[in-house]
């Protein structure tokens, strides 16, 4: 110690000697209140020094000596210091903890609110949900916001839903909507502020290939859809139809070859016109390398009831190619000879073979010759891409890769002539379709090349003229299908874009107009490995059409196979893929249940995103929990987990003999309450015996795919479907707690209570604490972090006011923050928290008398 003191003394003496040698120099004066003096003063937030990612604006700059958060060209805005926000002037400012109501409101018929960033622009968007009706049925709107917090676009959903939740399904930093309209579906958020349906398979068939043909009729066959599928497994190719008893596919014909060797798609047509013997459309199948083509008649009409019924074994008609030749293209159906009946076309080595029909029989297929433009004699025709009566003379016109030929002359099987209507220069077409795409009763033509952009559209005039248009595309097109997918009674055009094998292809619908070509093109799905795109067109029906997809898919175990998915049309053109809650794979039942509630979480494995739903047949004492596992892989099938909750918990009420007015009485939330990496489900429902509320937690056992519930906690306060349930760690002990809004929706006395987690996932009535007393009459609440480092806050809305409570870290206490908001509501019913302006500080939004009002978090000025 003494040595250290002597050393310090020596250094001090040395400093005095040096000062005496050079002399003392006075430091320069620091000008106060000036940007650039290196001292942070008055209204400055910096002076020459950056803080984190935010640089300091230099002297002389606009808003000098302020932390700068201007977004550079790469779009990555520098982060402001913790608990600061980036103002509209691109300057970092401290969050004040207060809120200011923005002028005006958003008309929305809103009762409750959800939020998430659906377009990935860094600003929160708001989902407004209408008041619920029977079984919770409701609709929603999605509101997008600009940098100043004002709404810029609203997306309106037309479908009625039973439940919805917000989650990032695709892990692309875009919020998505998981929904149930009794079936399960997902709408994916997009940068262009559209919502695209995620494609989930209705059937997944491992180690096989599948193609679909439908619809065979405008009515069900028995109790099933009028569809047949070509299904290959273990080297065996067969034709299948749905079976109502087993809920599976049942073989009706064994075929030769493989799905990869198909000469073309399965096609349908009314070849045999006897409605008693052949009431359904006939299925035509052609295999590459075969010397014959077959037609399959899959159903019959019951002689007693007149209803359609399946044949146990399909009736087969086989047609030879004469002279024998190996088929390589086709088939097509069209009236080549103008007798009013369909003929069958196939190709061999570029040559067209035609089997002529009279409505009752078909001849064998023979080469077709005709006189072409500029020829004095007949020549053998090549197999066309499409055939149909574009000119209205009753005889099919032919579409080739580089030309269109119009039929000329009267109907005859000999002496057929064709005139040139159009010659294409450039890349040859690879696919074409003929359909009426503008509702004028005249057939139009669309043709595409899988090696060049755009769709060529030829507007039919019913005569010897086609008016050409172009439908722009961003990529070459590979598949075409037509149908009325929005219910306006005008056919629409569906197509897929080309993509690399590892990339997802876009499924696009160009919606038909009453004149000219389809104009509005919307992407309705994205999926890789599409093998078939088709339309379920029910002959003579005005129902909104459906699209189906057959695509390659691999299941979670790595087994490759085929999947079939349905995309359901709607009047607002938001075409969706929906999966029914059906357990036919497990128990042989084909009867679907209604999905009435919905939550998302990791139930089947840590890190997964699953959907958990309450399913019911709407009969007394008929309900179970259903798991839609692994939404991200798109390979999970709905699984019935059973029930297992306290018998006093009745989730659906109002089901009585002869009277059906069911209501959903249960509240549902999820969270990892025992810290095992898997989420548990929490439910709350009224106790009909005591008038109180029963709260219970349950685990999903992944290995057994069943639900195991814990004993219910009995609360004296009542609860109802008009309440609210959430799981969140409020006291900072890493054990999520249960937050519940008690009381009926129309009750004067409602309360917000918390059941504290005991640290191991257990709860009891003794741990109950009131956050908001009944006399405050809360209508809804939201839990949020105002800034990334802040403790959890709870904001709740009453009929006339908004209140904010702040939790205290590592303590079970709540501090009311007075004066943070001064706003009078007309009739508040819902609230959510999200950063609508993207400044980094969370704002509030309330549902007030059906409108949405934004309460913007204030930054210091």
């Amino acid at each position: 110690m003494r040595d250290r003191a002597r050393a310090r003394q020596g250094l001090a003496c040395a400093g005095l000697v040096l000062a005496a040698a050079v002399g003392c120099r006075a430091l320069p004066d620091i000008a106060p209140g000036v940007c650039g003096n290196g001292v942070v003063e008055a209204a400055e937030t910096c002076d020459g020094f950056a803080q984190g990612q935010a640089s300091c604006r230099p002297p002389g700059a606009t808003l000098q000596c302020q932390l700068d958060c201007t977004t550079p060209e790469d779009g990555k805005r520098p982060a402001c210091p913790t608990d600061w926000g980036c103002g509209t002037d691109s300057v970092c400012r401290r969050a004040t903890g207060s809120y200011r109501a923005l002028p005006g409101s958003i008309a929305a018929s809103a009762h409750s609110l959800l939020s998430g960033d659906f377009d990935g622009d860094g600003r929160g968007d708001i989902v407004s949900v209408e008041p619920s009706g029977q079984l919770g049925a409701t609709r929603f709107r999605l509101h997008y916001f600009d940098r100043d917090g004002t709404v810029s676009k609203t997306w309106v959903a037309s479908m009625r839903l039973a439940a919805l939740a917000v989650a990032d399904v695709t892990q692309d930093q875009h919020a998505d909507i998981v929904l149930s309209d009794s079936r399960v579906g997902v709408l994916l958020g997009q940068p262009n502020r559209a919502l695209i349906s995620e494609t989930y398979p209705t059937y997944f068939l491992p180690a096989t290939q599948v193609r679909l043909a439908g619809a065979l009729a405008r009515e069900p066959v028995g109790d099933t859809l009028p569809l047949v599928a070509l299904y290959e497994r273990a080297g065996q190719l067969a034709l299948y139809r749905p079976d109502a008893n087993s809920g599976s596919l049942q073989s009706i014909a064994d075929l030769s070859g493989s799905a990869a060797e198909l000469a073309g798609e399965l096609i349908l047509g009314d070849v045999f016109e006897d409605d008693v013997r052949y009431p359904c459309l006939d299925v035509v199948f052609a295999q590459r390398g075969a010397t014959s083509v077959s037609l399959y008649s899959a159903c019959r009409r019951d002689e007693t009831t007149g209803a359609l019924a399946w044949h146990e074994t399909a009736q087969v008609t086989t047609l030879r190619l004469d002279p024998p030749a190996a088929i390589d293209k086709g088939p097509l159906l069209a009236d080549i000879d103008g007798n009013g009946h369909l003929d069958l076309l196939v190709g061999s080595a570029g040559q067209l073979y035609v089997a002529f029909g009279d409505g009752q029989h078909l001849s064998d297929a023979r080469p077709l010759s005709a006189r072409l433009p500029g020829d004095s004699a007949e020549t053998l025709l090549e197999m066309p891409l499409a055939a149909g009566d574009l000119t209205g003379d009753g005889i099919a016109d032919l579409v080739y890769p580089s030309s269109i030929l119009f039929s000329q002359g009267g109907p005859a099987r000999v002496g057929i002539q064709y005139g040139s209507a159009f010659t294409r220069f450039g890349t040859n077409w690879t696919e074409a379709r003929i359909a009426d795409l503008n509702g004028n009763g005249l057939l139009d033509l669309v043709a595409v090349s899988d090696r060049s952009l755009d769709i060529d559209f030829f507007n039919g005039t019913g005569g010897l003229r086609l008016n050409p248009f172009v439908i722009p595309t961003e990529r070459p097109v590979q598949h075409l299908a037509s149908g009325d997918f929005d219910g306006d009674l005008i056919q629409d055009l569906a197509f897929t874009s080309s993509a690399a094998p590892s990339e997802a292809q876009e499924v696009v619908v160009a919606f038909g107009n009453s004149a000219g070509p389809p104009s509005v093109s919307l992407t309705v799905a994205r999926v890789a490995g599409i093998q078939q795109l088709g339309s379920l067109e029910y002959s003579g029906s005005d129902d909104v059409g459906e699209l189906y997809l057959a695509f390659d898919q691999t299941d979670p175990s790595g087994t490759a196979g085929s999947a079939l998915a349905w995309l359901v049309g709607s009047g607002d053109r938001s075409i969706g893929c929906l999966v029914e809650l059906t357990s036919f794979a497990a128990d042989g039942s084909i009867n679907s249940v209604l999905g009435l509630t919905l939550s998302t979480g990791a139930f089947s494995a840590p890190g997964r995103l699953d959907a958990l739903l309450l399913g019911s047949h709407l009969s007394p004492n008929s309900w179970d929990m259903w798991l839609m596992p692994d939404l991200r892989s798109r390979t999970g099938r709905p699984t019935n987990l059973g029930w297992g909750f306290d018998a006093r918990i009745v989730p659906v009420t109002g089901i009585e003999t002869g009277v059906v007015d069911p209501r959903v009485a249960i509240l549902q939330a999820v969270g990892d309450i025992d810290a095992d990496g898997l989420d548990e489900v929490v439910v709350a429902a009224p106790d009909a015996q005591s008038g109180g509320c029963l709260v219970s937690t349950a685990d999903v056992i992944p290995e057994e795919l069943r639900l195991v519930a814990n004993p219910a906690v009995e609360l004296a306060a009542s609860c109802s479907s008009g309440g609210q349930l959430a799981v969140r760690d409020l006291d900072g002990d890493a054990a999520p707690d249960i937050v519940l809004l008690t009381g009926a929706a129309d009750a004067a006395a409602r309360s917000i209570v918390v059941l504290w987690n005991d640290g191991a996932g257990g709860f009891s009535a003794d741990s109950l604490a009131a956050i908001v007393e009944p006399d405050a009459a809360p209508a809804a609440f939201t839990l949020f972090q105002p800034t990334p480092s802040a403790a959890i806050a709870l904001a709740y809305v009453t009929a006339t006011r908004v209140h904010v409570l702040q939790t205290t870290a590592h303590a079970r206490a709540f501090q009311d923050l007075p004066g943070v908001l001064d706003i009078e509501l007309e009739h508040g019913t819902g609230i959510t928290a999200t950063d609508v302006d993207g400044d980094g500080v969370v704002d509030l939004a309330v549902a007030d008398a059906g409108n949405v009002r934004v309460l913007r978090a204030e930054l210091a000025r």
Side-chain angles (χ1 to χ4, degrees):
M1 294 291 291
R2 184 177 298 172
D3 291 341
R4 291 179 183 175
R6 287 178 179 174
R8 288 195 295 269
Q9 186 177 11
L11 290 172
C13 292
L16 291 173
V17 171
L18 179 63
V22 301
C24 292
R25 182 177 299 170
L27 295 174
D29 291 337
I30 298 176
V34 176
C35 178
N37 62 12
V39 180
V40 179
E41 304 168 283
E44 298 175 352
T45 58
C46 62
D47 198 323
F49 303 97
Q51 291 191 40
Q53 296 180 0
S55 61
C56 188
R57 293 191 179 183
T62 303
L63 296 173
Q64 61 183 2
C65 281
Q66 302 295 323
L67 290 171
D68 184 42
C69 55
T70 301
T71 302
E73 292 183 0
D74 63 6
K76 298 179 180 178
R77 190 180 71 193
C80 291
T82 302
D83 299 333
W84 292 48
C86 183
T88 54
D89 52 8
S90 297
V91 165
C92 295
R93 303 182 183 278
R94 291 185 183 273
T96 66
S98 298
Y99 298 84
R100 176 175 59 88
L102 295 184
S105 60
I106 307 165
S109 300
H111 181 267
S112 59
L113 303 176
L114 301 169
S115 56
D117 183 3
F118 292 89
D119 56 0
D121 63 359
R123 298 190 290 272
D125 312 305
I126 294 174
V127 181
S128 61
V129 184
E130 296 183 359
S132 61
Q134 190 181 69
L135 286 175
T138 186
R139 296 194 308 172
F140 74 92
R141 298 170 185 243
L142 177 52
H143 310 280
Y144 296 92
F145 289 84
D146 285 333
R147 183 68 173 87
D148 61 358
T150 59
V151 69
S152 61
K153 180 180 178 181
T154 294
W155 189 91
V156 182
S158 65
M159 64 178 70
R160 285 280 176 183
L161 303 179
L164 69 159
V166 175
D168 184 2
V169 176
T170 54
Q171 296 178 299
D172 60 356
Q173 308 306 311
H174 293 75
D176 309 306
I177 290 179
V178 186
L179 58 88
S180 171
D181 74 338
S182 79
R183 302 162 294 180
V184 186
V186 174
L187 297 176
L188 303 177
Q190 302 294 311
N192 65 355
R193 296 182 168 179
L195 293 178
I196 295 179
S197 177
E198 180 64 293
T199 306
Y200 289 95
T202 299
Y203 296 98
F204 172 70
L205 305 172
T208 189
Q209 287 290 312
V210 65
R211 301 291 185 272
L212 196 67
L216 277 64
R218 62 175 300 175
E219 58 187 285
V221 181
D223 294 325
T224 64
L225 290 174
L227 309 173
V228 293
L230 186 71
Y231 176 52
E232 177 194 349
R233 187 168 189 175
Q236 178 61 52
L237 193 64
L239 198 64
Y240 288 78
R241 53 91 169 171
D243 180 63
N245 294 323
S246 65
S248 59
L249 298 174
Q250 181 173 344
S251 173
I252 56 173
D254 292 329
L255 310 177
S256 60
S258 67
E261 296 171 343
L262 285 174
E265 299 285 353
L266 297 176
I267 62 170
L268 300 176
D270 190 13
V271 177
F272 304 122
E273 300 169 7
D274 185 335
D275 185 61
V276 176
R277 296 179 59 198
Y278 304 100
C280 295
L281 299 182
D282 305 292
V283 183
V284 186
F285 165 81
Q287 192 86 350
R288 286 203 307 268
T291 59
S292 62
V293 58
S294 299
L295 290 82
Y296 295 86
S297 302
C299 58
R300 59 184 174 81
R301 194 170 293 281
D302 188 276
E303 297 179 356
T304 303
T305 65
L308 296 183
W310 293 110
H311 284 302
E312 288 297 321
T313 301
Q315 296 186 8
V316 184
T317 302
T318 300
L319 309 173
R320 297 178 298 107
L321 272 64
D322 183 18
I327 296 173
D328 58 15
K329 289 183 180 179
L332 294 174
L333 290 172
D335 185 2
I336 295 295
D337 57 1
N339 67 349
H341 306 290
L342 290 177
D343 308 310
L344 174 61
L345 291 68
V346 291
S348 175
Q351 188 172 324
L352 171 60
Y353 281 71
V354 177
F356 289 99
D358 61 5
Q360 303 297 321
H361 306 89
L362 284 171
S363 68
D364 282 336
R366 295 181 175 86
L368 181 68
S369 60
R371 186 176 299 173
L372 298 179
D375 292 344
S376 58
E378 291 187 351
T379 184
L380 292 174
L381 295 182
E382 295 183 355
M383 179 68 186
L385 296 174
D389 184 12
L390 292 166
T391 59
D393 64 356
I395 305 174
D397 308 296
L398 306 179
V399 182
Y400 285 94
S402 60
S403 64
I404 303 171
L405 298 182
F406 280 169
S407 62
Q408 294 179 344
R413 295 187 183 181
V414 293
I416 298 176
Q417 300 183 33
Y418 289 93
S420 178
F422 178 86
T423 300
R424 176 175 172 81
F425 298 97
T427 308
N428 283 349
W429 293 318
T430 54
E431 190 165 356
R433 289 288 185 275
I434 295 174
D436 178 8
L437 293 170
N438 43 33
N440 61 3
L442 303 174
L443 292 178
D444 311 301
L445 167 66
V446 289
V448 300
S449 169
D450 61 9
R451 296 183 297 276
S452 62
L453 301 180
D454 302 335
I455 299 173
D456 290 315
F457 176 89
F458 296 89
N459 194 16
T461 63
L464 299 177
R465 182 173 180 82
L466 294 174
N467 295 324
F469 296 83
V470 172
I471 303 173
T473 66
E474 296 181 356
R475 288 188 174 186
V477 174
Q478 290 187 318
H479 301 88
L480 294 172
S482 62
D484 180 12
F485 307 121
D486 57 0
D488 63 357
L489 306 184
I490 297 175
Q491 293 280 294
D492 310 305
L493 178 67
F495 58 91
T496 66
S497 64
S498 62
S502 60
E503 294 181 353
Q505 297 172 258
E506 289 193 342
V507 180
V508 182
V509 173
F511 291 94
N513 294 318
S514 58
S519 56
V520 177
S521 295
L522 298 177
T523 300
V524 299
R526 291 190 179 100
V527 64
I530 297 175
Q531 298 296 331
Q532 184 186 24
L533 171 70
S535 170
L536 296 182
E537 298 179 275
Y538 299 94
S539 177
S541 172
D542 293 332
D543 292 341
V544 175
E546 300 177 359
L547 281 168
Y548 62 83
L549 293 171
F551 55 96
D552 297 330
Q553 188 157 305
T554 302
D555 68 12
S557 66
T559 301
S562 278
L564 281 175
W566 269 257
L567 299 173
V568 182
S570 70
D572 65 351
R573 298 181 172 179
S574 56
I575 296 175
C577 179
L578 299 163
V579 179
E580 294 184 343
L581 299 182
T582 304
S583 61
F584 62 80
D587 60 18
S589 170
I590 198 171
N591 294 319
S592 300
V593 302
L594 306 179
L596 302 178
T597 65
L598 185 146
S599 300
T600 60
F603 303 106
S604 61
R608 276 189 179 178
L609 183 68
D610 311 312
L612 194 68
L613 301 98
L614 168 70
S616 174
H617 284 295
L618 296 188
S619 57
N621 303 315
S622 171
W623 46 73
D624 291 295
M625 280 294 183
W626 285 72
L627 181 71
M628 182 72 176
D630 202 4
L631 294 175
R632 293 180 175 128
S633 76
R634 297 186 290 114
T635 58
R637 290 294 311 157
T639 302
N640 188 341
L641 301 177
W643 184 238
F645 286 103
D646 190 305
R648 294 173 295 170
I649 295 179
V650 179
V652 183
T653 62
I655 303 175
E656 302 174 4
T657 303
V659 178
V660 180
D661 184 24
R663 301 282 168 173
V664 177
I666 198 172
L667 301 172
Q668 180 177 321
V670 301
D672 185 7
I673 60 177
D674 57 4
D676 65 349
L678 293 175
D679 285 322
E680 287 74 41
V681 60
V682 182
V683 301
D687 184 350
Q689 299 176 8
S690 68
C693 184
L694 298 171
V695 179
S696 182
T697 65
D699 298 273
V700 176
I701 310 300
E703 300 83 4
E704 303 173 15
L705 288 178
R706 65 186 181 93
L707 197 73
V708 176
N710 297 304
V713 177
E714 302 180 29
L715 306 181
S718 65
C719 60
S720 72
S721 59
Q724 193 174 346
L725 186 67
V727 177
R728 195 75 177 264
D729 178 15
L730 298 186
D731 55 0
D733 64 353
D737 310 298
I738 298 173
V739 186
L740 173 66
L741 172 62
T742 66
D746 56 354
R750 309 188 75 189
S751 178
I752 301 176
V753 300
V754 57
L755 282 165
W756 298 109
N757 194 321
D758 65 5
F763 301 88
S764 70
D766 295 336
S767 70
L768 183 71
I771 302 176
V772 179
E773 297 296 340
D775 56 3
F781 67 85
T782 186
L783 299 165
F784 67 105
Q785 284 181 273
T787 59
S789 65
I792 298 295
L794 182 145
Y796 69 92
V797 61
T798 70
T800 59
R801 307 288 295 181
V802 176
H803 302 265
V804 180
L805 304 178
Q806 184 68 60
T807 62
T808 303
H810 304 292
R812 294 178 173 180
F814 302 88
Q815 178 186 0
D816 195 349
L817 302 180
V820 299
L821 185 63
D822 186 17
I823 179 176
E824 188 79 14
L825 302 179
E826 184 177 345
H827 184 68
T829 58
I831 187 168
T832 192
T834 189
D835 183 8
V836 298
D837 55 6
D839 63 359
V841 182
V842 174
D843 311 295
L844 297 174
V846 296
D848 182 23
N851 299 321
V852 177
R853 301 186 66 179
V854 175
L855 314 178
R856 190 174 182 180
E858 292 276 73
L859 303 179
R861 306 307 294 178

